[in-house]
Every structure is written in C-alpha cells, then in structure tokens.
Amino acid sequence: MACFLQPRQLGFGTILGCEAAIHATRHFATEHNSSHDIIIKIDIKNAFNSVERDTILNEVLDQIPLLYPFIYQCYALPSNLFYSGNLIQSQVGAQQGDPLGPLLFCLAIHKIISAVSAPLNVWYLDDGVIGGSPEVVIENLKTLLPALKTIGLEINSTKCELFACGNVTPETLTNLETVLPGLRQIDKSSFQLLGAPIFSEGVSSVLQSKRQALAGVREHLNHLSRHVSLILLRNCFSVPRTTYTLRTSPTWLYIQDLQHYDDTLKLILESVLNVSLSGDQWLQASLPVRYGGLGVRRVQDIGLVAFLASAFGSANLVSRILAIDSTDTCIPFASDALAKWATLCPSNDRPENPAVQRGWDDILCRLRQTNLQAGASGYDLARLKAISQPESGAWLHALPSPQLGTLLDNDSLRIAVALRLGSKVCNVHRCICGASVEENGHHGLSCLRCAGRFPRHHSINEIIRRAMLSVSVPCLLEPPGLSRTDGKRPDGLTLVPWQRGRCLIWDATCVSTFAASHIRHTVKTAGSAAETAAKNKRLKYSALEATYDFVPFAVETAGPWGREARELFREIGKRLREKTKDPRSESWLVQQVSIAIQRGNAASVMGTFGPGMARNGFL
C-alpha cells in the first residue's frame, strides 16, 4: 500500500511505515508532555470513494506520466456498478479492488498535506495526525479542511480526536470545536494510532482484547481437523494477530498480561493436540520449528525482540518525519528494551542487522535450546538433538491437504507432537510382542512386530519413485534379476544412467532414534543412527557397487536423515527446479518423506496394542 509519511515525502511502505508513524507520534507526545501542545487525529469520511478522479488523473500526469495512459483508460470514463439489477455509474473515487487505489489516493492528497506546517504531520492513507501548538494546529485545520473539500474529501469531525500533551485552555477547546464540531478528547489510556496504543497506559487493555479474541477461536478450532487447527493457530490466530502490537508497543513491561495471553494459548494448543504440556515441553513447543519447536510462539518471547527490531528499523524514518538529526533520534522505550535485552543475553552482542527481528529472535532461541539440552539426558537429550536437524520438522511446514496426501489424521498428529516434545504418548501396557511399552511409546518404533514399518517403507520408496519420474528418469521398485549376496533385492533401480553413465540403485530404511542399539550414539550426535544404518546397507550391497551407483536412503524415526539421503534429494531437487522452475520443489519432497515418517511412527505406536484395542485406522 502507498504510505505518506511526512511532508514532501511520498513512499511505498509496508508495516514499517505504520510503525514509523506510531514511533514518531509517541516521540512527539513524550517530548512535549509538559507543554501546551496538542495532537489531532483526523478522519476523512468515505475517503477512497469520494476523491475526485480529475484530481487523480492530473496528479498521475504530473508525477508519473508513464503510467498516465493506463490510468486514463481506467478512470477517464465512469465505471459501471451493478446492484440488484440496477446500473450505477461510478464517477468519483478509486475503483473497488484496484491495487493502485492506495497510490492514486496518496497522489491526490499529497500536495494538500505537504502544505501543513505543524511540527508533527504524519499520514497513512486517509488517517492523519497533526501536532503542535494550538494556534498552529488550528490554523492548519482551517486551511486543510477546505483544501480537501476541493478534491471531494470531507473531514468526519465526530470521529476526530484531540489529545492534549499538557493542559488545554477553554479557549483552545472552543476554537477547536468551531473548526471540528463534535471533536472528542482522549487521554493516554485511549490514545491509539493505526490500531496501536501510543502510551504505555493503553497497552494492557489492548493485550486483554487480543487475549479475548484468541480465546474465542478455541471452539471453532475444535470443529476442524487437528492438523488444520494447528496450522491455523500457529500461522493466523496466535502471535501473527499480535505482531503489530508487539512491534509498536512496550508490551514486555506488562509481564502479567503477556502471561495471561500465553496461558490461554497453551490451553488452546493442548486442546487442539490432545497433549498435556509440562513447563519445559511448553517452552520447547513455543520455539520455532528450526529450533525443535512447533512454531507456536509465546508473546512474552516475541514482545521484546519485535519492539527492538521495529525501533532500529524505523529510526531513520522517524527522524525524517520529525525533521530532526538521525543521531539525536531516540525511540521511546528503546533504551529500556536494550537494557532488558542485556539482562536476558548478557554474553551476546546485538545482531549484525538490528532492524531484522529474526536476528534478535535467533539469539534468544539458541539460548533456550541450549538450556533445554543442558538440562536433559538419555532419551530426552537424544530427542532434542534429533529434532534440531532441518529435516526433522519438515512435516510441520507441510500444507495439511488430503488431496496432496499431507494431512495427518488426529491420532497421527497427536503421536507426532508427543514424540517431538517428549510428552506422554500412551499408558504403560504390554506390547503384542510381550515387551513392556512405556509412556513415551518408544518401544513401538523399534518393535519387530510393529505395524508401521512396511507401510512407511513403501511410502518412502513410492515418493522417491515419483520424484524420479518427475525428472524424466524411469525406474523400477524391487527390480527383478538384481539382488545382493543373500538374495534380497534393492528397493529401486533407475533404468537410465543417473551419474557417470551408471544407473542408480537405492535402498531405504527408517531406524529408531531411541532403539537400545542406537541410543548411546544418538545421545552424542544427531543422526548417528541413520549414518550407522547407511553404512550397514552399503556393506550389504557392496557386490553391486562395481556396476551401479548405490545410495542408502537412511532416515530416523525422530526425523534426521543420513548424509547420502540428503545428497540424493538435493540432486533430485536440483533437477526438479530446472524442470518445473519451482524453487520449492525439494522442500515439497522433504515434507512428503517427513509426513510418511510420522504416519509410520503413529502406526507403529498404535500397533503395540493387542487385537481389538487399537483403532481401525491403524490395524
């Protein structure tokens, strides 16, 4: 969208433009706290539908002549609107749905707003703020209102708001009432700009409203597939709904409100996943997927880093809006945020690019990940190291679509999450093989009689086969006439040379990260079980390596891949990108394998129950 940020400055901004406007207004209000200055929020009535198209065309011709022929074709003649069979000719305003509408509106009002002489003059589309001494502001309003009216715009005075930095005299109120009848006066707790509180007094109420909105989605999410609900909660309803507030307000000062929000989020997550989360498990779940979490972030972890990134990223814009030296620009609460950061990360420097939120966030996430691993041992340590590998969380990034085969059923999702977080998977019971199954469910992942081994093995090979066909490499599964010394055949063979004029054979295996034969190695090194399995496969197929290129496709139940499996998919992904021009081709393949692993894990765990005890979907 187009964003007008200061006089004589027309830019095309994103959220950073809004943040700069908010920080600039807060800076002005804070610096003039004890003065008699005032701030007026201006609201234009039905702005986009009222601006004169003649003005738009004239400004486009003057400012962007290369675009004028196209805009003339769209706006020179009335456009038709149809309502209940009636034809209405639209002759004013930007057309509905026009992606250039915000730009055209900003061009139309640019010259008028540039003439405002108040020290604070911030506009984002049709939302404006003018601040300064009462005399200057009133004089500007007397000029602004008729100027806007000449281009078809009218101020909605009953929606305009007055904030007094200090004491406002009755004479000033009378004069303002004359210019803007029905003007409302607001205090610090209700002063908001573009949806963000300007003063800290208004932060608590905003966070409470956000928490209430979050609590309202719980019932709706319970009516959806759990996998779909998890994706919606993570990507739409939780932190994404609060990011704007977190970046523009000092929310980290309100620990109790943030805790209440996170408690509500935790309850909804447990309800969606049907998993009980302890303190460390909730802390892990709130980490990004790349750090072994579920990506359902806590606002108390994001608030500080979001504000710091916004403060550093918008500092130059704020200085230009306020017409002050950038070296003298001090974003309100930025110094407090840096002090808080120093207490959380005393041994870490600021990120190289402090304007990027991920730079601050990664430092905190690495610290929390390290603390989790430092306090773990045995199976928990092996799990935490395994899920830190890039491929381990690929299933969490997959689009939950039944048409694409990437939608996990409710039980599979619950087991996948429980295994990832170390939560309770099942009650202690006796496996069909006679062994005892603990609450963590690890026995089923390595049991020789588990029900998930063969379906998972078949799914992985089918994914590889389809990927080969997609890059125009014909292949066979379990090729006849090709066997190792014990008579067993490899899983797949390409019918044309793969590299160096030799055909490729592969054999897939998925070993348990927590098996007794692997745990002593996986505790030390992530992915060591897959590497050991790959070496064993290579020994078994050594007789065929003189004629074929052999790749052991070894993965683990906790998610890590062996080195050769990564290299194979990297090559397939490269060929897919060349063929389809889709840069995410490799990611889709990795997600499909990751989904197959999770389905196999769920079937293996459920397969430990005796006849009549497991659900129909697994046995």
Side-chain angles (χ1 to χ4, degrees), residues 461 464-465 475 477 490-494 504-508 550-551:
N461 283 309
I464 298 175
R465 185 189 72 85
C475 58
L477 294 180
D491 289 330
L493 165 71
T494 64
L504 171 75
I505 56 174
W506 75 85
D507 201 76
F550 173 69
V551 173

Side-chain angles (χ1 to χ4, degrees), residues 6-297:
Q6 74 171 97
R8 304 173 186 86
Q9 169 69 30
L10 180 64
F12 304 96
T14 57
I15 189 175
L16 193 62
C18 295
E19 295 169 4
I22 294 165
H23 291 313
T25 303
R26 183 181 293 127
H27 184 281
F28 182 89
T30 304
E31 290 294 318
H32 298 77
N33 186 39
S34 58
S35 68
H36 295 289
D37 289 351
I38 61 174
I39 299 175
I40 300 292
K41 286 178 57 180
I42 299 174
D43 181 81
I44 300 177
K45 185 186 301 182
N46 198 20
F48 278 72
N49 293 327
S50 302
V51 63
E52 293 289 348
R53 292 184 178 178
D54 289 342
T55 304
I56 291 176
L57 291 172
N58 290 335
E59 291 301 323
V60 170
L61 180 62
D62 183 42
Q63 300 290 337
I64 319 175
L66 290 178
L67 194 60
Y68 180 76
F70 174 71
I71 300 299
Y72 181 85
Q73 182 181 8
C74 297
Y75 285 93
L77 298 176
S79 53
N80 295 328
L81 300 178
F82 297 93
Y83 177 74
S84 298
N86 299 319
L87 175 63
I88 303 173
Q89 288 201 326
S90 174
Q91 303 184 58
V92 295
Q95 294 185 18
Q96 294 291 330
D98 183 2
L100 289 176
L103 167 65
L104 300 179
F105 178 82
C106 287
L107 286 173
I109 68 173
H110 178 57
K111 290 181 180 179
I112 295 174
I113 295 174
S114 298
V116 174
S117 59
L120 179 65
N121 182 26
V122 181
W123 290 76
Y124 187 83
L125 298 175
D126 58 333
D127 293 309
V129 178
I130 298 177
S133 65
E135 297 77 16
V136 172
V137 172
I138 292 173
E139 188 63 30
N140 285 161
L141 288 173
K142 290 180 179 179
T143 305
L144 181 65
L145 270 62
L148 289 175
K149 199 166 186 178
T150 61
I151 62 173
L153 300 177
E154 183 179 351
I155 299 296
N156 189 352
S157 59
T158 58
K159 288 188 177 181
C160 295
E161 296 175 344
L162 163 66
F163 175 78
C165 297
N167 295 324
V168 58
T169 64
E171 181 183 359
T172 299
L173 290 176
T174 301
N175 293 334
L176 286 171
E177 182 68 24
T178 302
V179 180
L180 295 173
L183 176 68
R184 296 187 298 117
Q185 188 170 357
I186 57 176
D187 56 14
K188 289 185 176 181
S189 62
S190 56
F191 188 11
Q192 294 187 10
L193 176 61
L194 302 175
I198 296 299
F199 292 97
S200 58
E201 287 83 350
V203 173
S204 181
S205 61
V206 171
L207 289 176
Q208 290 177 17
S209 65
K210 296 289 185 182
R211 184 186 66 81
Q212 292 172 359
L214 175 65
V217 307
R218 177 178 179 178
E219 182 180 354
H220 299 288
L221 291 177
N222 287 334
H223 293 302
L224 301 174
S225 165
R226 301 308 191 203
H227 195 180
V228 174
S229 297
L230 174 61
I231 299 301
L232 289 176
L233 181 64
R234 184 184 70 198
N235 296 339
C236 302
F237 297 132
S238 55
V239 167
R241 273 192 172 183
T242 64
T243 298
Y244 181 62
T245 302
L246 298 177
R247 287 179 63 89
T248 55
S249 306
T251 55
W252 75 91
L253 298 175
Y254 295 84
I255 302 299
Q256 188 174 6
D257 292 308
L258 296 180
Q259 185 63 51
H260 288 164
Y261 185 96
D262 288 336
D263 289 344
T264 301
L265 179 60
K266 178 174 178 288
L267 288 174
I268 296 176
L269 183 63
E270 290 178 329
S271 175
V272 166
L273 300 176
N274 192 19
V275 170
S276 179
L277 301 176
S278 66
D280 284 347
Q281 291 164 0
W282 169 227
L283 181 62
Q284 180 193 337
S286 66
L287 289 173
V289 175
R290 62 184 180 277
Y291 287 102
L294 300 181
V296 182
R297 308 303 307 277

Side-chain angles (χ1 to χ4, degrees), residues 145 171 280 292 321 325 340 344 407 410 490 503 525 559 572 587 593:
L145 270 62
E171 181 183 359
D280 284 347
I321 291 172
D325 189 352
K340 178 70 173 179
L344 293 176
L407 176 68
N410 295 347
C503 293
T525 306
I572 296 176
S587 299
V593 173

Side-chain angles (χ1 to χ4, degrees), residues 490-605:
D491 289 330
L493 165 71
T494 64
L495 300 180
V496 294
W498 178 252
Q499 288 180 340
R500 296 177 297 134
R502 304 208 304 180
C503 293
L504 171 75
I505 56 174
W506 75 85
D507 201 76
T509 183
C510 182
V511 294
S512 174
T513 306
F514 312 106
S517 57
H518 297 305
I519 189 65
R520 65 180 183 274
H521 300 295
T522 54
V523 165
K524 299 177 182 178
T525 306
S528 59
E531 293 297 341
T532 300
K535 291 179 182 178
N536 293 336
K537 286 287 184 182
R538 188 166 288 281
L539 288 175
K540 292 178 180 179
Y541 286 95
S542 58
L544 299 176
E545 288 192 277
T547 309
Y548 300 94
D549 270 346
F550 173 69
V551 173
F553 194 89
V555 296
E556 295 182 20
T557 54
W561 289 22
R563 176 184 56 83
E564 291 178 281
R566 292 196 193 99
E567 292 176 353
L568 175 62
F569 263 45
R570 194 174 297 119
E571 178 62 26
I572 296 176
K574 175 184 175 183
R575 300 189 185 192
L576 274 174
R577 286 192 297 273
E578 293 174 351
K579 188 177 183 64
T580 65
K581 310 303 180 185
D582 187 349
R584 299 169 295 178
S585 299
E586 183 179 348
S587 299
W588 304 145
L589 284 178
V590 174
Q591 290 173 10
Q592 290 175 9
V593 173
S594 185
I595 288 284
I597 293 174
Q598 303 310 317
R599 285 200 178 106
N601 291 346
S604 297
V605 170

